[in-house]
Amino acid sequence: MLALRLARGAHPLILLRRLMVAAASAGVGFLLLSALTYALAHPGESSASLLRLSWCLIPLAATVHFAVAVARTDPSTRPRSGLSAVGLGPGRLALLAASSTAVSGTLGSMVALLFFLHLRGDLTGLPFDGAAAELLAADEPLPLAAALTLLALAPLAATVAAALTLRTRPASPEPADSGGPAEPVSAPGGLPWGCALTAAGLAIGTYAGRTHAGGSLPLPGELDANPVGVLVGWALTAMGLALAGPALTHFCGRLLQMFRPGALRLLAGRVLMEESLRIGRPLGVVCAVASAVIAAWTLYDAGSRPFGPLTGLGAALVVACTTATLLITALEARAARAATVQHLRRLGAPARALRSAAVLRVAVLLLVFTPLTWAVATLAAVPLKG
């Protein structure tokens, strides 16, 4: 009840983020139900049905990642000093954030079920009744228990992830009286493991692609032809880039401060080093998704046309969720350094200099992550083209 009251009085942008979580949950639910109907229509192809269901794990993971980011940046569930005295400690606020996430995810799953039944032709009285009856196996009875179980995956996973992530979140510290960014901690770890996982993922994907009998390797659309090794390889590559993201972002900050930096480059570099743990991981995930999109486009441009109608939905869902997560994390980082910006303005720093520092940060991130994304995409596309 408290979560619903907070939702009613939330800022419109916060409500928009929660609606985006609901939309992402609806997309995942529709993909899972589509995998279920494929299994119903092809009872003798259990391996292909399982593989089609396993491809849904990618948009499911992107949705959970986005839902956790939305819950973490919700002002109504942010720990503050004094709330523990009225029974709203970190644990209670984590449960509150998880409840809001559960409400959004459940709403999305309900929308997915209604839209799915409408396209199958089970619900009538609206436009496009039964428009996808053949694709969604309308001639087969839908097992309600299995459908509800699949629809519960996205809300349940997002709720548990939000509760576990926010339970140990510290209370917001009071603004410091310093006049600039704090001295960064040492460089984040994870770069060796990230490189190892990325290399292992590319190696597994290459091996799985080259052992495919058909030469070129189609992507989801004709999912019965995809080896599991390619999916495992892409997952390991994404994990490796996400793990290496904070260290690479910290390196970008170091790069800005090399060769006698002025005040502008020094400020931009210190900010990147300080925020490397916050924005590095979402940036690495976006890098992994972008490399997958480039590799898929290379396959499409090479003449293969394996993409089905559900492939676009899954790809759009993953791209939208990862990009939105990065933007939300960047806004969170901007809010976290608001006190520092105010101190710099009081010390006489012009607004133009602060904007120039932001442009420098974006430029150096693009300078480092763009070649990395292109290199990973090129290596990943080799087995796809045969």
Side-chain angles (χ1 to χ4, degrees), residues 194-203 205-206 233-242 244 248 283-296 298 368-385:
C195 294
L197 284 177
T198 303
L202 292 173
T206 301
W234 281 0
L236 288 178
T237 302
M239 290 174 58
L241 291 175
L248 292 175
L283 193 58
V285 173
V286 170
C287 178
V289 172
S291 63
V293 170
I294 295 174
T298 302
V368 172
F369 279 91
T370 299
L372 175 64
T373 302
W374 190 264
V376 173
T378 302
L379 293 176
V382 170
L384 300 181
K385 295 185 295 185

Side-chain angles (χ1 to χ4, degrees), residues 43 122 137-138 162 171 199 232 237 240 255 288 342 352:
D122 297 332
V232 174
T237 302
L255 189 62
Q342 292 178 1
R352 181 179 179 181

Side-chain angles (χ1 to χ4, degrees), residues 302-321:
S304 180
R305 298 294 187 269
F307 304 104
L310 297 178
T311 307
L313 174 61
L317 189 61
V318 172
V319 172
C321 286

Side-chain angles (χ1 to χ4, degrees), residues 234-329:
W234 281 0
L236 288 178
T237 302
M239 290 174 58
L241 291 175
L243 193 60
L248 292 175
T249 306
H250 192 274
F251 168 74
C252 291
R254 289 285 188 187
L255 189 62
L256 274 175
Q257 300 176 78
M258 295 175 63
F259 306 114
R260 297 181 180 180
L264 192 62
R265 287 199 290 137
L266 187 63
L267 176 62
R270 286 300 179 90
V271 170
L272 272 183
M273 292 170 64
E274 188 177 358
E275 296 176 352
S276 59
L277 290 176
R278 189 192 304 270
I279 67 174
R281 195 151 296 171
L283 193 58
V285 173
V286 170
C287 178
V289 172
S291 63
V293 170
I294 295 174
W297 183 259
T298 302
L299 174 65
Y300 186 86
D301 195 49
S304 180
R305 298 294 187 269
F307 304 104
L310 297 178
T311 307
L313 174 61
L317 189 61
V318 172
V319 172
C321 286
T322 53
T323 305
T325 301
L326 179 60
L327 293 178
I328 289 177
T329 306

Side-chain angles (χ1 to χ4, degrees), residues 29 33 95 100 127 130 132 157-158 192 194 219 240 244 274 315 319 369:
L33 291 177
L95 291 178
S100 300
L219 291 174
E274 188 177 358
V319 172
F369 279 91

Side-chain angles (χ1 to χ4, degrees), residues 179 267 340-354:
L267 176 62
T340 300
V341 172
Q342 292 178 1
H343 284 300
L344 292 174
R345 294 297 300 272
R346 283 198 296 265
L347 291 174
R352 181 179 179 181
L354 298 178

